[in-house]
Protein backbone atom coordinates (compact mmCIF):
# COMPACT_ATOMS: atom_id res chain seq x y z
CA UNK A 1 0.00 0.00 0.00
CA UNK A 2 1.27 3.46 -0.90
CA UNK A 3 2.12 5.85 1.94
CA UNK A 4 1.98 9.64 2.18
CA UNK A 5 4.65 11.15 4.44
CA UNK A 6 3.91 14.43 6.23
CA UNK A 7 6.91 16.23 7.83
CA UNK A 8 5.15 17.17 11.08
CA UNK A 9 1.71 18.04 12.40
CA UNK A 10 1.01 21.70 11.77
CA UNK A 11 -1.33 23.07 14.42
CA UNK A 12 -3.06 26.34 15.25
CA UNK A 13 -4.67 27.62 18.41
CA UNK A 14 -8.46 27.33 18.49
CA UNK A 15 -9.90 29.64 21.18
CA UNK A 16 -13.31 27.90 20.99
CA UNK A 17 -11.81 24.74 22.48
CA UNK A 18 -8.88 26.46 24.21
CA UNK A 19 -6.21 24.20 22.66
CA UNK A 20 -4.10 23.59 19.59
CA UNK A 21 -5.82 21.72 16.76
CA UNK A 22 -4.60 20.45 13.36
CA UNK A 23 -4.26 23.32 10.88
CA UNK A 24 -5.01 21.17 7.82
CA UNK A 25 -7.45 18.47 6.85
CA UNK A 26 -5.49 15.72 5.13
CA UNK A 27 -8.44 13.44 4.43
CA UNK A 28 -8.12 14.02 0.67
CA UNK A 29 -4.39 13.21 0.83
CA UNK A 30 -5.31 9.94 2.54
CA UNK A 31 -6.93 8.81 -0.72
CA UNK A 32 -3.37 8.58 -2.12
CA UNK A 33 -2.08 6.33 0.68
CA UNK A 34 -1.69 5.77 4.39
CA UNK A 35 -0.71 9.00 6.18
CA UNK A 36 2.55 8.86 8.14
CA UNK A 37 3.88 11.78 10.17
CA UNK A 38 7.68 11.87 10.10
CA UNK A 39 8.34 13.94 13.24
CA UNK A 40 6.36 13.76 16.48
CA UNK A 41 4.38 16.76 17.74
CA UNK A 42 6.85 17.44 20.55
CA UNK A 43 9.94 17.59 18.26
CA UNK A 44 12.04 20.71 18.71
CA UNK A 45 12.36 21.92 15.11
CA UNK A 46 15.36 24.10 16.01
CA UNK A 47 17.48 21.05 16.87
CA UNK A 48 18.34 20.50 13.21
CA UNK A 49 20.94 17.75 13.57
CA UNK A 50 18.73 15.67 15.87
CA UNK A 51 15.73 16.14 13.55
CA UNK A 52 17.84 15.08 10.58
CA UNK A 53 18.65 11.81 12.37
CA UNK A 54 14.95 11.31 13.20
CA UNK A 55 13.95 11.98 9.58
CA UNK A 56 16.56 9.53 8.27
CA UNK A 57 15.36 6.82 10.65
CA UNK A 58 11.74 7.14 9.55
CA UNK A 59 12.52 7.39 5.83
CA UNK A 60 14.95 4.46 5.88
CA UNK A 61 12.65 2.20 7.85
CA UNK A 62 9.27 3.05 6.32
CA UNK A 63 9.48 4.74 2.92
CA UNK A 64 9.46 2.71 -0.25
CA UNK A 65 9.87 3.68 -3.89
CA UNK A 66 6.47 4.93 -5.05
CA UNK A 67 5.44 6.59 -1.78
CA UNK A 68 4.53 10.28 -1.67
CA UNK A 69 5.76 13.29 0.30
CA UNK A 70 3.31 16.05 1.29
CA UNK A 71 5.39 19.22 1.91
CA UNK A 72 3.60 21.21 4.62
CA UNK A 73 4.81 23.16 7.62
CA UNK A 74 8.25 24.46 8.49
CA UNK A 75 10.32 25.12 5.33
CA UNK A 76 13.57 23.92 6.91
CA UNK A 77 11.99 20.59 7.87
CA UNK A 78 10.46 20.26 4.38
CA UNK A 79 13.94 20.84 2.89
CA UNK A 80 15.56 18.25 5.16
CA UNK A 81 12.85 15.68 4.44
CA UNK A 82 13.09 16.29 0.68
CA UNK A 83 16.87 15.88 0.71
CA UNK A 84 16.73 12.64 2.70
CA UNK A 85 13.94 11.19 0.56
CA UNK A 86 15.80 12.01 -2.67
CA UNK A 87 19.03 10.59 -1.27
CA UNK A 88 17.41 7.37 -0.03
CA UNK A 89 15.04 6.61 -2.92
CA UNK A 90 16.54 8.43 -5.91
CA UNK A 91 13.21 10.13 -6.52
CA UNK A 92 10.82 12.61 -4.99
CA UNK A 93 7.08 12.07 -5.46
CA UNK A 94 5.17 15.05 -4.10
CA UNK A 95 1.49 15.70 -3.51
CA UNK A 96 0.78 19.39 -4.12
CA UNK A 97 -2.61 20.85 -3.29
CA UNK A 98 -4.07 22.88 -6.14
CA UNK A 99 -6.42 25.51 -4.70
CA UNK A 100 -8.10 26.15 -8.04
CA UNK A 101 -8.88 22.47 -8.68
CA UNK A 102 -9.40 21.73 -4.97
CA UNK A 103 -7.44 18.49 -5.18
CA UNK A 104 -3.92 17.09 -4.93
CA UNK A 105 -1.68 16.99 -7.98
CA UNK A 106 1.09 14.38 -8.21
CA UNK A 107 4.56 15.73 -9.06
CA UNK A 108 7.52 13.45 -9.67
CA UNK A 109 11.26 14.05 -9.97
CA UNK A 110 13.63 11.18 -10.69
CA UNK A 111 17.19 11.94 -9.67
Amino acid sequence: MTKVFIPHNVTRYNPAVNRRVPAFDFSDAATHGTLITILPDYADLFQTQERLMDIRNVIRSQMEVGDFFLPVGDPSIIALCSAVIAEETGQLRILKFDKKLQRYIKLEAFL
Side-chain angles (χ1 to χ4, degrees), residues 1 6 14 17-18 20 22 64 67 91 97 104 106 108:
M1 172 99 178
I6 300 170
N14 183 336
V17 294
N18 196 31
R20 299 195 68 75
E64 300 172 358
D67 289 340
Q91 68 178 21
F97 191 76
Y104 285 96
K106 297 176 185 178
E108 296 180 291

Side-chain angles (χ1 to χ4, degrees), residues 15-111:
V17 294
N18 196 31
R19 63 182 172 95
R20 299 195 68 75
V21 297
F24 302 107
D25 175 9
F26 294 121
S27 57
D28 191 40
T31 63
H32 296 278
T34 304
L35 300 179
I36 296 178
T37 304
I38 297 172
L39 295 175
D41 294 346
Y42 55 83
D44 181 354
L45 303 182
F46 290 101
Q47 298 295 323
T48 311
Q49 202 58 41
E50 288 85 357
R51 295 304 70 83
L52 181 57
M53 290 174 19
D54 295 339
I55 292 165
R56 280 190 194 285
N57 289 337
V58 171
I59 298 305
R60 284 181 177 162
S61 67
Q62 297 185 47
M63 185 170 244
E64 300 172 358
V65 172
D67 289 340
F68 289 100
F69 178 58
L70 181 56
V72 295
D74 185 291
S76 62
I77 299 302
I78 292 169
L80 290 174
C81 289
S82 297
V84 171
I85 292 167
E87 177 182 72
E88 292 294 323
T89 66
Q91 68 178 21
L92 189 56
R93 296 182 76 210
I94 294 174
L95 289 180
K96 175 186 177 348
F97 191 76
D98 186 306
K99 290 181 182 179
K100 185 177 179 181
L101 297 175
Q102 289 294 299
R103 66 180 179 90
Y104 285 96
I105 305 295
K106 297 176 185 178
L107 304 174
E108 296 180 291
F110 298 96
L111 312 168

